[in-house]
Amino acid sequence: MLSKRIIPCLDIKDGQTVKGVKFEQIRHAGDPVELASLYARSGADELTFLDITATIEDRRTFAELVEKIAHNINIPFTVGGGIKNEDDVARLLDAGADKITINSAAVRQPGLIDILAGRFGSQCIVLAVDCKQYGLRSLVHLDGGRTPTDRETLLWVKEAVERGAGEILLTSMDHDGTKEGFALEITRDVSESVSVPVIASGGAGKSEHFVDVFEKGKADAALAASIFHFGEIPIPELKKYLSENNIPVRMK
Amino acid sequence: MSIAVIKYNAGNIRSVQIALERLGVDSVVTDDPEIIRNADKVIFPGVGEASSAMKYLKERKLDELILSLKQPVLGICLGLQLMCSFTEEGNTPCLGIFKNRVVRFPENDKVPHMGWNSIQRLKGMLFDSIDEGSYVYFVHSYAAEPGVDQIAETDYIIPFSSALQKKNFFATQFHPEKSGDIGQIILKNFIEL
């Protein structure tokens, strides 16, 4: 049976992991390669790396880092942050990334999805969507959440999948950082309206939240950052809990 | 040990090469028939669309070359599908090493089949010291119907052949280069054949 995926997310700035990492086993807490290897060994199903810097020089550093990661881990990983065009994608895939995520650039220029899917294949194009709830409406936000748009989340993901997005990474801005659980309703609505896998993100605080997002939210994968970085929920324990609650997961 | 990775119009070749490097094996990505013919092992990877990939292979006569190879050959993902007799993707006749037909997954669940799934009914040397039910990584929308050359089976919407073997020709629908420690053992088994 296809298993549900657990995906730790690492934010990268100047070649280092940020948002804080607290692991006794790691000598250099900020070293993304070391952290990535630890996650891969502890049973993470995939990894996501987001480049949160914007300058050109930093982009080169990031591509070098991607190459190092590719040489050191043997599970799939996705990279993103500030991708604007075909060249950005080609550079990261050549460096060894399996998939890339696009967000703001795709909303500003939806044809970019068609171009990227046509050249590199849908399987490596992940559309990231940051959404926020306004009463009954869920609206897409850009630039790391700073810029609201009037695009409805459901309409946008459907369009993006028709254009060739192979997977959706859905982050609820309302839930992100709260540790009170994932946004189940919008995750379920998105998952039921597209034919491609949906990764839920934002709000994970305890193991029960993952059961909920897979069962009620119909998510195919769940992504989280700080709860993993700070060792609040070790991945082997999370997977054991999910398995005991009849969620299919890959056990090592 | 020389390993040739066949270069053709398909992506994902870099990660195969990196996985071989992790095992301490050098490889060359090439479409040069001489180098491919003389390699100890040949890997036929690929992610992409079947009809354009077959067209590319034919134009360069790589189809005949692959069929003539006597050393161990490992097809991966689209590589497996192209080694079957026919794929529904673009209604494309393929190399015909395996008699299986490749069909599109029915749409009553998410397509592509993406993520970790288990392999059952394992047979042969490729799966030496691999446990039944081990998890490996898949990304595909088309799959080979079960047939006589099957050496592993997986269930997603329908049961399909997740690995095939006939004589010196091996193929996996999953990506051993991305399947963690299990995948690394499978690649190592192939290299040590």
Side-chain angles (χ1 to χ4, degrees):
Chain A
M1 189 187 258
L2 182 63
S3 67
K4 300 289 186 183
R5 288 170 281 154
I6 300 295
I7 309 177
C9 178
L10 286 71
D11 285 349
I12 309 291
K13 195 179 178 193
D14 306 324
Q16 296 290 303
T17 312
V18 293
K19 249 191 191 175
V21 173
K22 214 159 144 191
F23 265 130
E24 286 182 8
Q25 307 96 304
I26 291 192
R27 280 168 296 129
H28 314 289
D31 179 2
V33 177
E34 212 169 332
L35 185 57
S37 313
L38 178 84
Y39 282 139
R41 282 199 304 275
S42 65
D45 297 304
E46 277 182 45
L47 296 168
T48 294
F49 299 86
L50 295 179
D51 181 13
I52 60 166
T53 49
T55 66
I56 307 237
E57 303 86 80
D58 289 337
R59 289 193 172 275
R60 207 153 293 136
T61 316
F62 187 63
E64 281 165 23
L65 174 66
V66 168
E67 185 144 3
K68 238 195 253 175
I69 295 163
H71 278 90
N72 282 279
I73 67 164
N74 54 18
I75 59 171
F77 69 100
T78 303
V79 299
I83 290 175
K84 287 194 177 59
N85 52 47
E86 271 182 274
D87 287 349
D88 292 340
V89 174
R91 193 177 311 122
L92 295 167
L93 293 178
D94 283 346
D98 298 288
K99 312 182 208 176
I100 60 90
T101 69
I102 41 167
N103 188 336
S104 309
V107 177
R108 295 200 167 104
Q109 189 202 334
L112 182 62
I113 302 173
D114 305 68
I115 294 170
L116 296 179
R119 174 163 166 199
F120 304 105
S122 290
Q123 83 291 333
C124 66
I125 309 300
V126 182
L127 178 80
V129 180
D130 294 331
C131 66
K132 197 171 172 176
Q133 206 67 36
Y134 295 87
L136 290 174
R137 300 177 78 200
S138 171
L139 298 180
V140 175
H141 285 53
L142 310 182
D143 307 318
R146 289 186 300 276
T147 314
T149 72
D150 54 9
R151 273 183 183 268
E152 299 262 2
T153 303
L154 283 183
L155 293 178
W156 171 230
V157 295
K158 279 191 215 170
E159 177 184 337
V161 169
E162 273 167 30
R163 288 179 178 277
E167 205 169 8
I168 305 291
L169 166 55
L170 182 74
T171 302
S172 158
M173 293 168 57
D174 306 301
H175 289 243
D176 201 26
T178 64
K179 298 200 172 184
E180 285 172 1
F182 293 91
L184 302 178
E185 237 171 272
I186 186 69
T187 304
R188 187 200 58 218
D189 290 348
V190 167
S191 186
E192 286 178 345
S193 57
V194 294
S195 57
V196 301
V198 173
I199 307 164
S201 153
K206 45 188 183 177
S207 298
E208 292 91 317
H209 296 153
F210 288 85
V211 174
D212 286 344
V213 82
F214 292 134
E215 276 185 350
K216 298 180 190 144
K218 311 278 185 210
D220 299 283
L223 175 143
S226 52
I227 54 153
F228 295 136
H229 299 338
F230 287 96
E232 289 165 29
I233 307 181
I235 293 171
E237 275 174 40
L238 171 60
K239 286 201 156 178
K240 188 164 169 277
Y241 181 85
L242 291 173
S243 173
E244 285 163 1
N245 284 274
N246 301 317
I247 305 290
V249 286
R250 173 181 72 117
M251 302 301 272
K252 286 280 275 179
Chain B
M1 166 76 62
S2 65
I3 297 189
V5 180
I6 298 179
K7 180 179 158 188
Y8 67 112
N9 192 17
N12 200 43
I13 285 179
R14 183 75 190 121
S15 50
V16 172
Q17 215 179 3
I18 292 174
L20 294 170
E21 281 171 34
R22 279 199 300 267
L23 288 168
V25 189
D26 282 336
S27 59
V28 50
V29 176
T30 181
D31 56 4
D32 181 332
E34 221 28 51
I35 299 177
I36 295 171
R37 206 171 287 126
N38 291 319
D40 295 319
K41 304 270 153 61
V42 175
I43 296 184
F44 180 40
V47 169
E49 198 275 325
S51 66
S52 54
M54 267 316 288
K55 188 164 168 265
Y56 186 95
L57 292 174
K58 280 190 170 159
E59 279 167 3
R60 287 157 186 78
K61 298 207 178 337
L62 287 168
D63 55 337
E64 293 164 24
L65 175 71
I66 293 170
L67 289 170
S68 73
L69 295 173
K70 299 282 178 269
Q71 67 272 56
V73 177
L74 176 65
I76 297 175
C77 196
L78 180 64
L80 173 143
Q81 298 177 8
L82 296 178
M83 286 159 82
C84 291
S85 59
F86 171 86
T87 174
E88 285 185 357
E89 188 175 22
N91 287 321
T92 310
C94 299
L95 296 171
I97 295 166
F98 309 116
K99 298 298 164 225
N100 309 55
R101 281 168 48 88
V102 176
V103 297
R104 194 178 158 87
F105 282 118
E107 303 262 339
N108 42 4
D109 205 336
K110 300 267 170 102
V111 176
H113 172 222
M114 179 187 283
W116 297 82
N117 204 336
S118 57
I119 44 177
Q120 328 275 350
R121 304 182 177 197
L122 306 181
K123 280 191 234 166
M125 281 146 74
L126 199 59
F127 296 112
D128 238 10
S129 68
I130 300 289
D131 293 333
E132 277 287 312
S134 290
Y135 279 87
V136 290
Y137 193 81
F138 292 87
V139 185
H140 59 127
S141 300
Y142 293 80
E145 289 176 337
V148 286
D149 301 320
Q150 173 174 300
I151 54 170
E153 188 173 290
T154 295
D155 256 303
Y156 183 67
I157 310 177
I158 49 169
F160 67 92
S161 289
S162 44
L164 297 164
Q165 185 202 340
K166 189 173 185 180
K167 293 185 244 170
N168 57 320
F169 292 100
F170 297 78
T172 64
Q173 179 59 62
F174 55 87
H175 290 273
E177 76 278 15
K178 284 291 156 189
S179 295
D181 298 342
I182 298 289
Q184 218 149 309
I185 297 172
I186 294 169
L187 273 182
K188 196 160 170 282
N189 287 343
F190 174 72
I191 288 163
E192 289 174 355
L193 278 173

